[in-house]
Amino acid sequence: MGTTDTTATAATHEEAWEGFVTGSWNDEIDVRDFIQRNYEPYEGDASFLSGPTEKTLRIWDTLSKDYLSVEREKRVYDVDTDTPADVDAFGPGYISDDDDVIVGLQTDVPLKRAMMPNGGWRMVETAIREAGKEPNQAVKDIFTKYRKTHNDAVFDIYTPRIRAARSSHIITGLPDAYGRGRIIGDYRRVALYGVDRLIAEKMADKDLVADKPFSEHWARYREEHAEQIKALKKLKNMAAGYGFDISGPAKTAQEAVQWTYFGYLASVKSQDGAAMSFGRLSGFFDIYFQRDLKAGLITESDAQEIIDALVIKLRIVRFLRTIDYDAIFSGDPYWATWSDGGMGEDGRTLVTKTSFRLLQTLNNLGPAPEPNITLFWNKNLPQGYKDFCALVSITTSSLQYEADDQIREHWGDDAAIACCVSPMRVGKQMQFFGARVNSAKALLYAMNGGRDEMSGKLVVPDHEPIQGDGPLDFDEVWERYEKMLDWVVGTYVEALNIIHYCHDRYAYEAMEMALHDSDVVRTMGCGIAGLSIVADSLSAIKYAKVYPVRDETGLIVDYKTEGDFPVYGNDDDRADDIAATVVHTIMAKIKAIPMYRDAIPTQSVLTITSNVVYGKATGSFPSGHKAGTPFAPGANPENGMDTHGMLASMMSVGKLDYDDALDGISLTNTITPSGLGRTLDEQVKNLVGIMDAGFIPQA
């Protein structure tokens, strides 16, 4: 399909909402209520789907040949060095002359990256030079002489112990030089209500506190609302450049998708967060598609073309990153996570036909890591959907699954994932992203009295090392580990409080927060790395005999382990309980510390991409893990140590208490399709069975 004239004018609410079931969503901003009253659950199979249109294939081919192939050779296609990024900083850009189904690029050329210096100039300048270009001296002067950045402020405040922990890599990946991300704007609001309604609501909320006596809290509240209103006005201006008036609500399915994408596009134009996730869209979009299909305004092929066009745009989001940043995250991810599936609180499935259309993009366009399609798995999902998910997983290796029961119980049925595993209620909650601590390295520090096992430097003072040549005593090691965690966790949270205080002051996400409720729930997303190494090492100390190996200075640099010991990941309570205790202990220490803006502390067990970097900075362990080698990702068992199969490893991970890791627990599994069965039908059936068995509610 596609329009010959991309100009669209604002619709009245009555016109745009014709045919929709009314409810509280009409009178207040409540997208969930709109969805619950209007969506149609789909319990069929994938037989209705359409393949790609000629236009879709032509645009994807142009993008692949003219842009993506060049980017693969150069690493960075191009950088604009003259224009600091903002919602409306760039004029309209297109992939090709007939790129008119869903429009909008971050800059004026596909894959051209924009600089976002509010976060920090050093990273911007480094990234520009690494891309083979020179920074604009006038822009550099502004952000080094006249305008303080988030990064400048953070390092002005950092304490000596934070700097020591950061440089020794016991805390790594802190968002102190890049955007924090993990904030999901409710981009659906742009389509459902139009921007003028959103501006009016924000203005009213701002003035609700106009008569309150002065306080820092209320001053910040009003200032942030002023910034949000400015961002919404810029959003209208940006859309107008593409020929659209989004002051009113969308009146067709194509406009609903376009309006929603404009909200997301404005966010990725103005922020380079570590995870710029998209939210939970399929049910919302499907309401518009179903209305237009019933009215004969579009065909199924048209509907699929719209979703394909949107996904193409999500696949080409780009941020200006340094090579070091890419090393931390093992590539150049931006986690445009699109959450889907799951069951509603009323027992209905939230699967719609558009849930299938989203998965179909992987067949129509080919596999891709972005958008990061994350499916909320539940054994009660429609069989046709479960089968199609399994089939697409087998053929594309491009899907991620989350435990629907746990997410819905804690965060409701309109929750979405930011990044990989971080759940939040869309538009009502945001996260202060916190990277993670190296819980494994902390164990080595505990035994070495705060000396770094790689450099020999004393990083944590006033901690006595383990004496003697062993064997190590479990109770003594655990006591020292707990004391070391007090220092590590305290330092970590102190750094996070500083970072987010500075980020709010100097790199505030006005666009994303404009698409939230004014009274938003904040969480502090802490995290740990190296869980399996800690669990196996403590298990070795407890159940076998472990002797320390020291260098000439007395520093323990290796371990000699005699005897067998249970290892985490094989559904053995002896090792799995140690892992669960470590997660609980660290979370309890985090909870004991006051958080910036009274954020609710949460924790993730997540290192999907940075496990290699953590391993390089960490020494050898009693478990047999060798210095400098990669950690297992997330909550995975140690590489090669899970000998009882995938289901056993899922059961071990399931023993980690979700209440201790509400920011999410990650398990990455690799299965060759042939290992699931001889035929494709058998493989699909067996994968569905594994998923049903693995994603069971906690007792």
Side-chain angles (χ1 to χ4, degrees), residues 29-56:
I29 305 298
D30 190 347
V31 179
R32 179 188 178 273
D33 183 66
F34 168 74
I35 294 171
Q36 288 293 309
R37 293 179 186 275
N38 288 281
Y39 88 100
E40 297 180 20
Y42 179 67
E43 303 202 10
D45 60 22
S47 58
F48 73 93
L49 289 168
S50 291
T53 64
E54 289 185 9
K55 176 180 285 188
T56 296

mmCIF file of all heavy atoms in Angstrom, residues 29-56:
data_model
loop_
_atom_site.group_PDB
_atom_site.id
_atom_site.type_symbol
_atom_site.label_atom_id
_atom_site.label_comp_id
_atom_site.label_asym_id
_atom_site.label_seq_id
_atom_site.Cartn_x
_atom_site.Cartn_y
_atom_site.Cartn_z
ATOM 1 N N ILE A 29 -5.829 9.911 30.767
ATOM 2 C CA ILE A 29 -4.813 9.200 29.983
ATOM 3 C C ILE A 29 -4.685 7.789 30.539
ATOM 4 O O ILE A 29 -4.119 7.572 31.621
ATOM 5 C CB ILE A 29 -3.458 9.936 30.039
ATOM 6 C CG1 ILE A 29 -3.602 11.392 29.594
ATOM 7 C CG2 ILE A 29 -2.430 9.199 29.186
ATOM 8 C CD1 ILE A 29 -4.067 11.573 28.170
ATOM 9 N N ASP A 30 -5.227 6.824 29.819
ATOM 10 C CA ASP A 30 -5.248 5.444 30.305
ATOM 11 C C ASP A 30 -5.290 4.509 29.105
ATOM 12 O O ASP A 30 -6.352 4.035 28.696
ATOM 13 C CB ASP A 30 -6.450 5.220 31.220
ATOM 14 C CG ASP A 30 -6.399 3.877 31.942
ATOM 15 O OD1 ASP A 30 -5.577 3.016 31.562
ATOM 16 O OD2 ASP A 30 -7.185 3.683 32.890
ATOM 17 N N VAL A 31 -4.125 4.235 28.542
ATOM 18 C CA VAL A 31 -4.054 3.405 27.332
ATOM 19 C C VAL A 31 -4.457 1.970 27.635
ATOM 20 O O VAL A 31 -5.106 1.307 26.811
ATOM 21 C CB VAL A 31 -2.638 3.461 26.723
ATOM 22 C CG1 VAL A 31 -2.559 2.587 25.480
ATOM 23 C CG2 VAL A 31 -2.260 4.897 26.377
ATOM 24 N N ARG A 32 -4.086 1.483 28.815
ATOM 25 C CA ARG A 32 -4.446 0.104 29.149
ATOM 26 C C ARG A 32 -5.964 -0.091 29.119
ATOM 27 O O ARG A 32 -6.462 -1.100 28.596
ATOM 28 C CB ARG A 32 -3.914 -0.286 30.527
ATOM 29 C CG ARG A 32 -4.287 -1.722 30.915
ATOM 30 C CD ARG A 32 -3.958 -2.099 32.337
ATOM 31 N NE ARG A 32 -4.390 -3.470 32.606
ATOM 32 C CZ ARG A 32 -5.627 -3.792 33.014
ATOM 33 N NH1 ARG A 32 -6.530 -2.844 33.201
ATOM 34 N NH2 ARG A 32 -5.940 -5.062 33.220
ATOM 35 N N ASP A 33 -6.714 0.850 29.661
ATOM 36 C CA ASP A 33 -8.164 0.733 29.666
ATOM 37 C C ASP A 33 -8.699 0.692 28.236
ATOM 38 O O ASP A 33 -9.610 -0.090 27.922
ATOM 39 C CB ASP A 33 -8.782 1.906 30.433
ATOM 40 C CG ASP A 33 -10.293 1.809 30.527
ATOM 41 O OD1 ASP A 33 -10.796 0.875 31.189
ATOM 42 O OD2 ASP A 33 -10.977 2.653 29.913
ATOM 43 N N PHE A 34 -8.125 1.523 27.368
ATOM 44 C CA PHE A 34 -8.516 1.506 25.953
ATOM 45 C C PHE A 34 -8.280 0.135 25.342
ATOM 46 O O PHE A 34 -9.143 -0.420 24.645
ATOM 47 C CB PHE A 34 -7.725 2.566 25.189
ATOM 48 C CG PHE A 34 -7.821 2.448 23.695
ATOM 49 C CD1 PHE A 34 -8.971 2.825 23.022
ATOM 50 C CD2 PHE A 34 -6.756 1.942 22.954
ATOM 51 C CE1 PHE A 34 -9.064 2.704 21.638
ATOM 52 C CE2 PHE A 34 -6.836 1.817 21.584
ATOM 53 C CZ PHE A 34 -7.996 2.193 20.910
ATOM 54 N N ILE A 35 -7.125 -0.456 25.609
ATOM 55 C CA ILE A 35 -6.793 -1.762 25.033
ATOM 56 C C ILE A 35 -7.731 -2.836 25.576
ATOM 57 O O ILE A 35 -8.293 -3.638 24.816
ATOM 58 C CB ILE A 35 -5.322 -2.115 25.319
ATOM 59 C CG1 ILE A 35 -4.388 -1.145 24.588
ATOM 60 C CG2 ILE A 35 -5.019 -3.558 24.905
ATOM 61 C CD1 ILE A 35 -2.933 -1.280 24.985
ATOM 62 N N GLN A 36 -7.913 -2.867 26.889
ATOM 63 C CA GLN A 36 -8.734 -3.905 27.494
ATOM 64 C C GLN A 36 -10.161 -3.892 26.966
ATOM 65 O O GLN A 36 -10.787 -4.936 26.789
ATOM 66 C CB GLN A 36 -8.736 -3.731 29.016
ATOM 67 C CG GLN A 36 -7.429 -4.097 29.699
ATOM 68 C CD GLN A 36 -7.139 -5.581 29.605
ATOM 69 O OE1 GLN A 36 -7.984 -6.419 29.929
ATOM 70 N NE2 GLN A 36 -5.936 -5.922 29.148
ATOM 71 N N ARG A 37 -10.682 -2.727 26.688
ATOM 72 C CA ARG A 37 -12.074 -2.609 26.224
ATOM 73 C C ARG A 37 -12.231 -2.878 24.729
ATOM 74 O O ARG A 37 -13.341 -3.160 24.265
ATOM 75 C CB ARG A 37 -12.619 -1.224 26.556
ATOM 76 C CG ARG A 37 -12.782 -0.958 28.044
ATOM 77 C CD ARG A 37 -13.299 0.451 28.310
ATOM 78 N NE ARG A 37 -13.325 0.762 29.726
ATOM 79 C CZ ARG A 37 -14.316 0.455 30.561
ATOM 80 N NH1 ARG A 37 -15.383 -0.191 30.085
ATOM 81 N NH2 ARG A 37 -14.257 0.773 31.834
ATOM 82 N N ASN A 38 -11.145 -2.811 23.986
ATOM 83 C CA ASN A 38 -11.275 -2.818 22.524
ATOM 84 C C ASN A 38 -10.510 -3.912 21.786
ATOM 85 O O ASN A 38 -10.800 -4.161 20.609
ATOM 86 C CB ASN A 38 -10.837 -1.457 21.975
ATOM 87 C CG ASN A 38 -11.833 -0.357 22.278
ATOM 88 O OD1 ASN A 38 -12.857 -0.239 21.615
ATOM 89 N ND2 ASN A 38 -11.541 0.453 23.299
ATOM 90 N N TYR A 39 -9.554 -4.583 22.419
ATOM 91 C CA TYR A 39 -8.760 -5.529 21.639
ATOM 92 C C TYR A 39 -9.504 -6.857 21.464
ATOM 93 O O TYR A 39 -10.389 -7.210 22.248
ATOM 94 C CB TYR A 39 -7.394 -5.746 22.277
ATOM 95 C CG TYR A 39 -7.312 -6.837 23.325
ATOM 96 C CD1 TYR A 39 -6.809 -8.099 23.017
ATOM 97 C CD2 TYR A 39 -7.723 -6.615 24.646
ATOM 98 C CE1 TYR A 39 -6.715 -9.105 23.970
ATOM 99 C CE2 TYR A 39 -7.628 -7.591 25.611
ATOM 100 C CZ TYR A 39 -7.129 -8.847 25.274
ATOM 101 O OH TYR A 39 -7.054 -9.827 26.222
ATOM 102 N N GLU A 40 -9.128 -7.575 20.420
ATOM 103 C CA GLU A 40 -9.721 -8.876 20.119
ATOM 104 C C GLU A 40 -8.657 -9.961 20.266
ATOM 105 O O GLU A 40 -7.743 -10.056 19.444
ATOM 106 C CB GLU A 40 -10.285 -8.896 18.700
ATOM 107 C CG GLU A 40 -11.419 -7.907 18.463
ATOM 108 C CD GLU A 40 -11.950 -7.966 17.042
ATOM 109 O OE1 GLU A 40 -11.724 -9.002 16.364
ATOM 110 O OE2 GLU A 40 -12.576 -6.978 16.611
ATOM 111 N N PRO A 41 -8.730 -10.782 21.317
ATOM 112 C CA PRO A 41 -7.763 -11.878 21.441
ATOM 113 C C PRO A 41 -7.837 -12.791 20.224
ATOM 114 O O PRO A 41 -8.919 -13.008 19.660
ATOM 115 C CB PRO A 41 -8.224 -12.615 22.705
ATOM 116 C CG PRO A 41 -9.069 -11.619 23.457
ATOM 117 C CD PRO A 41 -9.708 -10.765 22.414
ATOM 118 N N TYR A 42 -6.691 -13.303 19.814
ATOM 119 C CA TYR A 42 -6.650 -14.187 18.655
ATOM 120 C C TYR A 42 -6.115 -15.543 19.087
ATOM 121 O O TYR A 42 -5.017 -15.640 19.647
ATOM 122 C CB TYR A 42 -5.766 -13.595 17.560
ATOM 123 C CG TYR A 42 -5.663 -14.478 16.331
ATOM 124 C CD1 TYR A 42 -6.770 -14.710 15.526
ATOM 125 C CD2 TYR A 42 -4.457 -15.087 15.997
ATOM 126 C CE1 TYR A 42 -6.685 -15.519 14.402
ATOM 127 C CE2 TYR A 42 -4.360 -15.902 14.876
ATOM 128 C CZ TYR A 42 -5.476 -16.122 14.088
ATOM 129 O OH TYR A 42 -5.395 -16.932 12.973
ATOM 130 N N GLU A 43 -6.882 -16.594 18.843
ATOM 131 C CA GLU A 43 -6.502 -17.934 19.277
ATOM 132 C C GLU A 43 -6.303 -18.875 18.101
ATOM 133 O O GLU A 43 -6.235 -20.088 18.271
ATOM 134 C CB GLU A 43 -7.551 -18.486 20.246
ATOM 135 C CG GLU A 43 -7.737 -17.572 21.460
ATOM 136 C CD GLU A 43 -8.323 -18.284 22.675
ATOM 137 O OE1 GLU A 43 -8.407 -19.525 22.645
ATOM 138 O OE2 GLU A 43 -8.654 -17.587 23.639
ATOM 139 N N GLY A 44 -6.145 -18.294 16.913
ATOM 140 C CA GLY A 44 -5.925 -19.115 15.734
ATOM 141 C C GLY A 44 -4.449 -19.339 15.453
ATOM 142 O O GLY A 44 -3.581 -19.159 16.322
ATOM 143 N N ASP A 45 -4.163 -19.700 14.207
ATOM 144 C CA ASP A 45 -2.789 -19.998 13.820
ATOM 145 C C ASP A 45 -2.267 -18.931 12.865
ATOM 146 O O ASP A 45 -2.891 -17.878 12.673
ATOM 147 C CB ASP A 45 -2.670 -21.398 13.212
ATOM 148 C CG ASP A 45 -3.517 -21.570 11.958
ATOM 149 O OD1 ASP A 45 -3.864 -20.542 11.312
ATOM 150 O OD2 ASP A 45 -3.832 -22.712 11.606
ATOM 151 N N ALA A 46 -1.141 -19.202 12.225
ATOM 152 C CA ALA A 46 -0.456 -18.200 11.402
ATOM 153 C C ALA A 46 -0.891 -18.222 9.944
ATOM 154 O O ALA A 46 -0.308 -17.512 9.116
ATOM 155 C CB ALA A 46 1.055 -18.430 11.487
ATOM 156 N N SER A 47 -1.927 -18.974 9.616
ATOM 157 C CA SER A 47 -2.282 -19.172 8.216
ATOM 158 C C SER A 47 -2.779 -17.906 7.532
ATOM 159 O O SER A 47 -2.775 -17.821 6.302
ATOM 160 C CB SER A 47 -3.349 -20.266 8.092
ATOM 161 O OG SER A 47 -4.503 -19.923 8.844
ATOM 162 N N PHE A 48 -3.190 -16.895 8.292
ATOM 163 C CA PHE A 48 -3.736 -15.670 7.689
ATOM 164 C C PHE A 48 -2.642 -14.707 7.220
ATOM 165 O O PHE A 48 -2.926 -13.743 6.507
ATOM 166 C CB PHE A 48 -4.620 -14.937 8.711
ATOM 167 C CG PHE A 48 -3.845 -14.262 9.814
ATOM 168 C CD1 PHE A 48 -3.469 -12.925 9.717
ATOM 169 C CD2 PHE A 48 -3.456 -14.974 10.942
ATOM 170 C CE1 PHE A 48 -2.750 -12.303 10.716
ATOM 171 C CE2 PHE A 48 -2.730 -14.365 11.950
ATOM 172 C CZ PHE A 48 -2.374 -13.026 11.838
ATOM 173 N N LEU A 49 -1.393 -14.927 7.590
ATOM 174 C CA LEU A 49 -0.325 -13.951 7.373
ATOM 175 C C LEU A 49 0.024 -13.761 5.897
ATOM 176 O O LEU A 49 -0.168 -14.662 5.072
ATOM 177 C CB LEU A 49 0.927 -14.381 8.127
ATOM 178 C CG LEU A 49 0.865 -14.255 9.654
ATOM 179 C CD1 LEU A 49 2.035 -14.971 10.303
ATOM 180 C CD2 LEU A 49 0.809 -12.791 10.088
ATOM 181 N N SER A 50 0.562 -12.576 5.608
ATOM 182 C CA SER A 50 0.997 -12.239 4.251
ATOM 183 C C SER A 50 2.511 -12.109 4.190
ATOM 184 O O SER A 50 3.152 -11.742 5.179
ATOM 185 C CB SER A 50 0.372 -10.915 3.799
ATOM 186 O OG SER A 50 -1.008 -11.044 3.615
ATOM 187 N N GLY A 51 3.045 -12.378 3.034
ATOM 188 C CA GLY A 51 4.465 -12.171 2.808
ATOM 189 C C GLY A 51 4.761 -10.703 2.546
ATOM 190 O O GLY A 51 3.869 -9.846 2.585
ATOM 191 N N PRO A 52 6.001 -10.381 2.245
ATOM 192 C CA PRO A 52 6.375 -8.977 2.017
ATOM 193 C C PRO A 52 5.826 -8.461 0.690
ATOM 194 O O PRO A 52 5.732 -9.205 -0.294
ATOM 195 C CB PRO A 52 7.901 -9.018 1.995
ATOM 196 C CG PRO A 52 8.231 -10.409 1.534
ATOM 197 C CD PRO A 52 7.154 -11.290 2.115
ATOM 198 N N THR A 53 5.478 -7.197 0.651
ATOM 199 C CA THR A 53 5.057 -6.575 -0.608
ATOM 200 C C THR A 53 6.289 -6.236 -1.433
ATOM 201 O O THR A 53 7.421 -6.235 -0.942
ATOM 202 C CB THR A 53 4.264 -5.297 -0.342
ATOM 203 O OG1 THR A 53 5.112 -4.333 0.292
ATOM 204 C CG2 THR A 53 3.054 -5.569 0.542
ATOM 205 N N GLU A 54 6.054 -5.916 -2.701
ATOM 206 C CA GLU A 54 7.168 -5.516 -3.571
ATOM 207 C C GLU A 54 7.853 -4.262 -3.021
ATOM 208 O O GLU A 54 9.080 -4.147 -3.072
ATOM 209 C CB GLU A 54 6.660 -5.271 -4.996
ATOM 210 C CG GLU A 54 6.254 -6.534 -5.737
ATOM 211 C CD GLU A 54 5.875 -6.247 -7.178
ATOM 212 O OE1 GLU A 54 6.092 -5.087 -7.633
ATOM 213 O OE2 GLU A 54 5.356 -7.153 -7.850
ATOM 214 N N LYS A 55 7.064 -3.336 -2.498
ATOM 215 C CA LYS A 55 7.647 -2.110 -1.964
ATOM 216 C C LYS A 55 8.537 -2.420 -0.759
ATOM 217 O O LYS A 55 9.649 -1.896 -0.647
ATOM 218 C CB LYS A 55 6.554 -1.115 -1.561
ATOM 219 C CG LYS A 55 7.115 0.143 -0.895
ATOM 220 C CD LYS A 55 6.038 1.126 -0.508
ATOM 221 C CE LYS A 55 5.521 1.848 -1.718
ATOM 222 N NZ LYS A 55 4.601 2.957 -1.359
ATOM 223 N N THR A 56 8.062 -3.290 0.129
ATOM 224 C CA THR A 56 8.862 -3.661 1.294
ATOM 225 C C THR A 56 10.207 -4.232 0.862
ATOM 226 O O THR A 56 11.265 -3.837 1.378
ATOM 227 C CB THR A 56 8.109 -4.686 2.158
ATOM 228 O OG1 THR A 56 6.921 -4.088 2.693
ATOM 229 C CG2 THR A 56 8.980 -5.170 3.309
#
